[in-house]
Amino acid sequence: MLYKSTRGDNHQALSAEAIKRGIAPDGGLFIPTDRILFSADDIYALAGMDYRARAARILAPYLSDFTTAEVSECVGFAYSDKNFDHPAVAPLVELERGLAVLELWHGPTCAFKDMALQILPHLLVKSMAKTGEDAGILILVATSGDTGKAALEGFKDVPRTAITVFYPAQGVSEVQRMQMVTQAGNNVGVVAVQGNFDDSQSGVKDIFADQAMSDVIAERGFKFSSANSINWGRLAPQIVYYFSAYADLLANGRIKPGQAVNFVVPTGNFGNILAGFYARQMGLPVHRLICAANENNVLTDFIRTGVYDRVRDFKTTISPSMDILISSNLERLLFELTGHDAFRIREWMSQLKLQGRYAVDTGTREKVQQLFWSDFASDDETGHSIRETHRRYGYVVDTHTAVGLHVYDKYRGATGDDTPTVVLSTASPFKFNASVTKALLGANEILGKTEFELLQTLSAFSGMPIPRGLRDLQNQPVLHETVVEREQMPQSVIAFVNKLTGA
Ligand SMILES: *Cc1c(COP(=O)(O)O)cnc(C)c1O
């Protein structure tokens, strides 16, 4: 399989190069040049496989420059019992006939980013070897919470890689902070930056753009890379669980071969739902992809009107992993829906950059609307959805999943569509336990309690065990205490590399 850029550069890359580079040389995103098609028989065969076998089967054609053994090895490392606390890896839970939840949070950090970040490091190491790269890879990540920990867990102790995560000293929850500062591994660094997430993020961008920094780490045998969600190596593994959910519905006799289903996806950067689009392109019978947003509802407006307008107030919500105003992966969808028209993509992306908005043509808007439907949930509606889901089904969901369930209710009300539907559950309720406990038990119940005490409260209430990755967190040794000003971020990287290499 060859990959090309959404911005029109003629260069075509094998998957190893696309994964190693992350972003195309012309600033566009890599997309596969060919369409892979699974027949009804191919899909039916997945029903008899476990998650690892399904993943190997679906990833193999996208990684045609990898051997079958290499793909299986990456999949085996990533989706092992050691990393995932459920034998199904991504289990499907039926709430009622016709409505199921796909739990994507059984990995080490209790959120769906593990599904991709557990495998990306292995794909990256093999990609480096294939492209003759002899430097080690140094990953830098700026995080507002979830991605940093998922990347640390993915890269820890992976040979020839190292990772430093920068987080805003005042901008993450206590659980998120403890998850990061207790991170074990001989190739990991964690640094708090004075300021907000933007300070960390712009600091990382400056380091990537600074040739002197690249030279310094090159002398120590390293090259910079990022692990962000536009890397094809993060997107492809997400296609797997759409097929896996469908295969489970087949295996359980809930649908017949060829029968269409809907997927509801709590959306921020448009990475997760875009994988659903690719699954459909590959022949998975998908009727509608329902894009669930919070009050940062830039995507809802886009899907309804064809106008993408980021010029609006940023809102801090109780579903913080969806507090995003620029959904980078949308560029890939537009490229596909315009029949690979790089000229239009460049125009829209440049308007987004210069004016903060763009409007797609009517034809493209109609194509979007044939496939996607969108609405959003306010924080009040999200809390209500957590309570309702518990009342109706005895099932506890996190805030992001609750957004999905609320939007699904709106979809049913608006369309009457009773196609069997899968709601993607993107985080364990324990990961956002303060908001979840407040919604279930009322504000008084959380008053004066630490986040760690609230884990116990939620566990007692729900009867669910506290996940491995969050249990005992407050008693783990703190291994990373560095706090820097934004200006000192480069020095902290150099100090980290010196420590790694004994320089
Ligand atoms: C990242 C994240 C999302 C949003 O996913 P995108 O791929 O960015 O659309 C939703 N929920 C949770 C819990 C997340 O961590």
Side-chain angles (χ1 to χ4, degrees):
M1 172 69 74
L2 287 165
Y3 293 81
K4 66 177 177 185
S5 167
T6 52
R7 304 272 172 103
D9 186 348
N10 285 326
H11 176 70
Q12 299 203 338
L14 285 166
S15 64
E17 188 191 336
I19 291 169
K20 191 178 88 175
R21 283 185 183 268
I23 188 159
D26 63 352
L29 311 191
F30 281 115
I31 62 122
T33 50
D34 292 321
R35 189 157 164 181
I36 290 161
L37 269 178
F38 272 44
S39 69
D41 286 346
D42 291 335
I43 295 171
Y44 196 74
L46 297 172
M49 299 179 190
D50 68 7
Y51 193 85
R52 284 178 286 276
R54 289 171 181 172
R57 176 74 184 84
I58 288 152
L59 290 174
Y62 286 110
L63 302 169
S64 52
D65 48 333
F66 286 53
T67 65
T68 314
E70 285 172 329
V71 175
S72 294
E73 196 178 295
C74 290
V75 164
F77 280 137
Y79 304 115
S80 70
D81 301 348
K82 195 165 98 6
N83 293 335
F84 284 79
D85 70 4
H86 195 290
V89 179
L92 193 66
V93 176
E94 187 173 66
L95 296 185
E96 63 184 30
R97 209 54 194 259
L99 178 61
V101 168
L102 179 63
E103 295 182 346
L104 299 174
W105 40 261
H106 288 279
T109 77
C110 310
F112 102 96
K113 297 204 170 46
D114 289 331
M115 299 304 297
L117 279 167
Q118 281 297 311
I119 193 168
L120 177 71
H122 301 291
L123 296 174
L124 191 57
V125 168
K126 288 199 165 36
S127 298
M128 285 159 57
K130 281 179 192 302
T131 52
E133 182 68 67
D134 45 21
I137 288 269
L138 175 55
I139 302 284
L140 299 185
V141 177
T143 187
S144 55
D146 285 348
T147 308
K149 176 63 181 178
L152 286 164
E153 278 295 324
F155 281 95
K156 79 165 179 217
D157 296 333
V158 174
R160 298 189 49 209
T161 73
I163 176 166
T164 291
V165 166
F166 294 96
Y167 70 92
Q170 280 82 33
V172 300
S173 77
E174 185 55 14
V175 165
Q176 286 173 325
R177 192 184 72 83
M178 281 301 281
Q179 277 191 309
M180 290 190 277
V181 298
T182 59
Q183 178 68 47
N186 59 29
N187 62 340
V188 302
V190 176
V191 176
V193 180
Q194 298 292 2
N196 60 23
F197 172 59
D198 282 341
D199 296 312
S200 298
Q201 191 167 44
S202 61
V204 166
K205 281 195 179 144
D206 289 353
I207 295 174
F208 281 144
D210 182 349
Q211 188 55 44
M213 279 298 291
S214 296
D215 293 344
V216 173
I217 70 151
E219 282 167 25
R220 313 272 197 279
F222 280 96
K223 216 174 176 167
F224 285 127
S225 186
S226 82
N228 63 30
S229 77
I230 56 179
N231 192 315
W232 181 257
R234 267 185 73 174
L235 199 76
Q238 297 178 352
I239 299 172
V240 175
Y241 47 73
Y242 286 89
F243 278 92
S244 181
Y246 191 89
D248 281 346
L249 290 171
L250 281 175
N252 300 336
R254 290 310 193 226
I255 54 171
K256 297 191 184 61
Q259 192 177 343
V261 300
N262 296 324
F263 287 97
V264 181
V265 189
T267 298
N269 210 2
F270 210 75
N272 198 358
I273 197 168
L274 183 73
F277 170 80
Y278 278 108
R280 188 176 187 275
Q281 295 280 91
M282 291 170 71
L284 191 73
V286 177
H287 175 56
R288 272 286 168 76
L289 290 166
I290 299 161
C291 172
N294 65 23
E295 282 194 63
N296 294 293
N297 57 353
V298 66
L299 282 166
T300 301
D301 289 347
F302 172 72
I303 289 169
R304 288 181 182 172
T305 65
V307 177
Y308 194 97
D309 188 352
R310 61 162 292 209
V311 187
R312 60 180 75 202
D313 289 339
F314 176 88
K315 304 215 169 96
T316 301
T317 73
I318 60 173
S319 45
S321 304
M322 292 155 57
D323 290 347
I324 286 175
L325 289 178
I326 299 188
S327 301
S328 322
N329 267 301
L330 189 60
E331 178 170 343
R332 281 193 169 106
L333 177 74
L334 295 174
F335 189 69
E336 298 285 7
L337 292 183
T338 55
H340 295 189
D341 186 344
F343 180 78
R344 267 188 281 173
I345 301 302
R346 280 201 304 272
E347 204 164 82
W348 292 334
M349 293 308 128
S350 121
Q351 287 168 3
L352 180 64
K353 199 165 172 185
L354 298 173
Q355 286 122 42
R357 84 193 278 283
Y358 61 89
V360 299
D361 55 279
T362 312
T364 304
R365 190 194 71 215
E366 284 169 359
K367 281 187 189 151
V368 170
Q369 290 171 342
Q370 268 164 24
L371 202 53
F372 292 87
W373 192 92
S374 184
D375 209 326
F376 70 99
S378 67
D379 277 358
D380 279 350
E381 288 169 328
T382 303
H384 180 259
S385 169
I386 291 172
R387 279 190 298 282
E388 260 309 284
T389 304
H390 183 257
R391 190 185 65 76
R392 277 192 231 165
Y393 310 114
Y395 183 74
V396 177
V397 292
D398 92 294
T399 48
H400 305 77
T401 310
V403 167
L405 285 159
H406 178 78
V407 168
Y408 178 60
D409 273 347
K410 284 190 173 164
Y411 173 76
R412 282 295 292 271
T415 64
D417 177 19
D418 60 0
T419 303
T421 296
V422 175
V423 177
L424 274 56
S425 176
T426 52
S428 157
F430 288 97
K431 182 123 203 197
F432 298 94
N433 69 81
S435 301
V436 173
T437 312
K438 183 176 168 194
L440 290 170
L441 298 172
N444 281 340
E445 195 60 36
I446 67 165
L447 214 65
K449 286 194 182 158
T450 68
E451 287 191 37
F452 300 108
E453 289 164 338
L454 286 173
L455 290 172
Q456 306 290 344
T457 310
L458 186 58
S459 177
F461 176 80
S462 65
M464 296 163 78
I466 301 173
R468 210 156 50 186
L470 299 174
R471 220 177 287 157
D472 274 341
L473 197 54
Q474 72 275 34
N475 302 320
Q476 301 291 313
V478 171
L479 304 172
H480 307 276
E481 294 184 289
T482 312
V483 185
V484 301
E485 299 291 332
R486 186 189 173 294
E487 295 69 36
Q488 299 167 313
M489 287 170 64
Q491 285 93 306
S492 72
V493 171
I494 294 170
F496 173 66
V497 177
N498 285 345
K499 200 176 95 192
L500 277 180
T501 56

